[in-house]
Amino acid sequence: MSKKLLLKDAHVEGIRYFETYRKQGGYGAAEKAFKMTPEEILEEVKVSGLRGRGGAGFPTGMKWSFLAKPEGVPRHLVVNADESEPGTFKDRYLMEYLPHLLIEGMLISSFVLGSNVSYIYIRGEYSWIPDILEEAIEEAKAAGFLGKNILGTGFDCEIYVQRGGGAYICGEETALLESLEGKRGNPRLKPPFPAVKGLWERPTVVNNVESIAAIVPIIDITGAEYAKIGVGRSTGTKLISACGNINKPGVYEIDMTITVEEFIYSDEYCGGIPNGKKLKACIPGGSSVPIVPANLLLKTVNGEPRYMNYESLADGGFATGTMMGSGGFIVLDEDQCIVEHTMTLARFYHHESCGQCTPCREGTGWMHKILKKIEKGEGKMEDIDLLWDVQRKIEGNTICPLGDAAAWPVAAAIRHFRDEFEWHIKNPELSQTQNYGLAHY
Ligand code: L3W
Ligand code: SF4
């Protein structure tokens, strides 16, 4: 059984409220941290090996150490709670059930970074969660864990919650900052990175909800102990939101040593596939990461079992591997149509493109059009090559990763499931009425 660090108290009744959270030992890590220097805490975070839980897996301690500290310029911590990646709902769970874990993590992180005013930028569609967060902030403030002169240390910290307008692109960190400044959420060119020029051109650290929540157990058990959980550079625990054709959809905390097979089939996690259906494919890290067929999902290119961690999922690179991404684990059984699925994603990315870059603005639209044509049984064989060509022209040629995120699913679908695209073209009359018994397992 995986060790629980973040969700260990998730089912304690009333854990959403300060009193219960405190009774369970809550804010103990903050009290411990305030007896340390910011440099000592930063060292713990570095030693823990924590990697960003939003998708990129960038080492958190390293990001924090990049924060510029010009004299007299305020610095900010911004929590990215704009969780909009299809298949990803683990931050929602954390904020809804354990708001104080996030606030305690923010308090410790703000202390390290020297942020007296920190923000949570939350996805607009999570309309009921800002009230939960704001209530928790008020409770923490009343108990002296936020506000002025926290625990008599002289450190001041306020946390504000900002609701997004419901645009996927505002999860990209620089678009988020633009939106937080009150502007249209268009991504900025990087560099400069937010750590140097972020919110209102001030040095800013943008971290995912789960990354900041993980600071609490790191301080509780020490960075060295946290690093012992997991394997290699995949340290600690990771939240996975599991959905699709599984018996037990939900949010699971795993320690990154379990195999993909165990995650899908064991009763502790997804509980297998309904109606005894076979596994066709899976997208393990949110819609932006490459889809992987069952045979490559259950073992690596070297024939080793594939594990639920950053390295093992990426084994083989983009040709045969995928990514841990945000941990949005989408399972597709044998009845699912890969062409339809890829078309749905293409429609999403086209709709969500901010339109600044021509390859993304135009390319996502073209990919959607071609996929729609093939899916309806109106495609030609050349359309598959055209689709491949369009996605190639997007990848690496845009301001932000949305372009890559739109291209990768299409590339992976053609690479692994070309026969399904061909089936649609060869069987126009069956195209919309029948699903596909093509074997990929
Ligand atoms: C200072 C440097 N900072 C890098 C920072 C950078 C950022 C972090 C990672 O995209 C991925 C994307 C989605 N000095 C720095 C530096 N940084 N070099 O490190 O940067 P980067 O560019 O590798 O990634 P990103 O722009 O943060 C995130 C993928 O995640 N994704 C998206 C999921 C969506 C959600 C959601 O809905 N919650 O997570 C899923 O896989 O495609 O590739 O902070 O500033 N030299
Ligand atoms: Fe906008 Fe797409 Fe360019 Fe990102 S890649 S800046 S979403 S047009």
Side-chain angles (χ1 to χ4, degrees):
M1 179 180 278
S2 286
K3 194 170 173 65
K4 302 276 177 287
L5 295 178
L6 297 171
L7 303 186
K8 67 180 169 54
D9 293 329
H11 299 293
V12 173
E13 206 183 325
I15 194 69
R16 180 192 285 184
Y17 302 105
F18 179 85
E19 202 184 329
T20 312
Y21 182 74
R22 187 79 172 130
K23 267 195 203 138
Q24 293 297 118
Y27 289 96
E31 287 171 321
K32 186 172 170 188
F34 276 85
K35 293 187 186 118
M36 299 161 72
T37 63
E39 294 72 25
E40 284 168 344
I41 303 171
L42 174 58
E43 192 52 31
E44 289 297 321
V45 176
K46 281 186 182 167
V47 168
S48 75
L50 175 68
R51 294 168 66 175
R53 302 305 198 213
F58 194 82
T60 306
M62 192 190 293
K63 188 190 275 193
W64 288 10
S65 61
F66 287 154
L67 187 69
K69 294 182 175 156
E71 198 60 37
V73 181
R75 305 187 281 275
H76 297 289
L77 167 70
V78 176
V79 168
N80 186 345
D82 193 67
E83 183 176 54
S84 312
E85 178 82 356
T88 312
F89 46 90
K90 48 137 189 134
D91 295 336
R92 178 182 81 189
Y93 188 89
L94 272 180
M95 292 186 287
E96 194 170 351
Y97 293 99
L98 295 156
H100 281 288
L101 186 69
L102 174 61
I103 288 161
E104 184 176 6
M106 285 183 76
L107 171 61
I108 300 169
S109 309
S110 300
F111 178 59
V112 177
L113 302 168
S115 167
N116 301 118
V117 183
S118 300
Y119 298 89
I120 302 170
Y121 183 96
I122 184 162
R123 174 180 183 178
E125 290 91 338
Y126 286 175
S127 55
W128 68 101
I129 299 182
D131 289 346
I132 296 174
L133 292 169
E134 278 166 353
E135 187 179 3
I137 290 167
E138 283 313 308
E139 285 185 317
K141 213 167 166 173
F145 286 102
L146 283 177
K148 297 258 176 246
N149 190 23
I150 297 164
L151 301 180
T153 56
F155 178 67
D156 304 336
C157 186
E158 298 288 348
I159 295 178
Y160 296 103
V161 182
Q162 175 64 45
R163 296 162 199 244
Y168 172 70
I169 195 56
C170 289
E172 194 284 328
E173 59 179 3
T174 60
L176 185 158
L177 295 174
E178 287 283 303
S179 175
L180 194 49
E181 289 178 7
K183 294 180 256 172
R184 183 190 156 98
N186 280 357
R188 302 171 182 167
L189 269 174
K190 294 193 277 192
F193 288 96
V196 176
K197 253 189 190 188
L199 191 62
W200 298 299
E201 303 207 345
R202 298 168 178 173
T204 304
V205 162
V206 185
N207 274 142
N208 172 261
V209 169
E210 184 188 346
S211 314
I212 292 298
I215 301 301
V216 175
I218 288 171
I219 297 305
D220 259 337
I221 65 171
T222 76
E225 286 303 309
Y226 186 88
K228 282 185 197 160
I229 303 164
V231 59
R233 292 184 59 234
S234 298
T235 62
T237 62
K238 174 84 189 86
L239 296 186
I240 305 288
S241 56
C243 61
N245 302 121
I246 47 174
N247 283 315
K248 290 169 58 196
V251 177
Y252 297 99
E253 183 168 14
I254 62 158
D255 68 12
M256 294 197 268
T257 59
I258 62 169
T259 63
V260 171
E261 190 165 6
E262 189 183 346
F263 185 69
I264 296 175
Y265 290 102
S266 119
D267 277 343
E268 192 185 341
Y269 305 108
C270 303
I273 298 173
N275 307 317
K277 296 278 178 187
K278 286 184 181 145
L279 175 70
K280 180 184 253 186
C282 177
I283 303 165
S287 64
S288 303
V289 311
I291 189 168
V292 195
N295 58 341
L296 285 167
L297 188 69
L298 302 180
K299 59 179 176 1
T300 66
V301 282
N302 300 318
E304 294 286 311
R306 209 181 270 276
Y307 292 94
M308 296 282 292
N309 65 47
Y310 292 94
E311 287 74 30
S312 186
L313 285 172
D315 187 89
F318 289 125
T320 48
T322 181
M323 285 164 75
M324 186 77 163
S326 56
F329 198 91
I330 307 168
V331 178
L332 284 80
D333 74 14
E334 58 188 307
D335 288 345
Q336 304 311 316
C337 170
I338 300 296
V339 177
E340 185 188 2
H341 167 82
T342 313
M343 182 200 67
T344 307
L345 288 184
R347 184 175 58 207
F348 171 78
Y349 287 111
H350 179 222
H351 184 258
E352 297 297 336
S353 166
C354 83
Q356 282 191 100
C357 321
T358 308
C360 173
R361 184 187 63 239
E362 302 299 327
T364 51
W366 274 103
M367 289 195 302
H368 178 218
K369 264 188 232 167
I370 300 165
L371 279 158
K372 203 157 84 177
K373 196 170 137 195
I374 297 175
E375 202 269 335
K376 279 169 79 180
E378 294 167 2
K380 300 191 194 88
M381 282 300 171
E382 313 77 277
D383 288 334
I384 305 176
D385 296 329
L386 178 62
L387 190 57
W388 181 265
D389 197 43
V390 174
Q391 67 79 22
R392 289 279 299 168
K393 289 195 166 62
I394 301 173
E395 189 193 353
N397 293 321
T398 58
I399 293 173
C400 91
L402 187 141
D404 295 342
W408 291 339
V410 172
I414 298 176
R415 186 178 286 129
H416 298 303
F417 297 97
R418 194 179 178 106
D419 50 353
E420 287 203 16
F421 287 81
E422 291 175 355
W423 185 93
H424 273 271
I425 294 163
K426 286 182 197 155
N427 297 283
E429 69 291 351
L430 295 176
S431 216
Q432 282 191 69
T433 54
Q434 187 174 314
N435 281 329
Y436 321 86
L438 302 171
H440 290 282
Y441 34 82

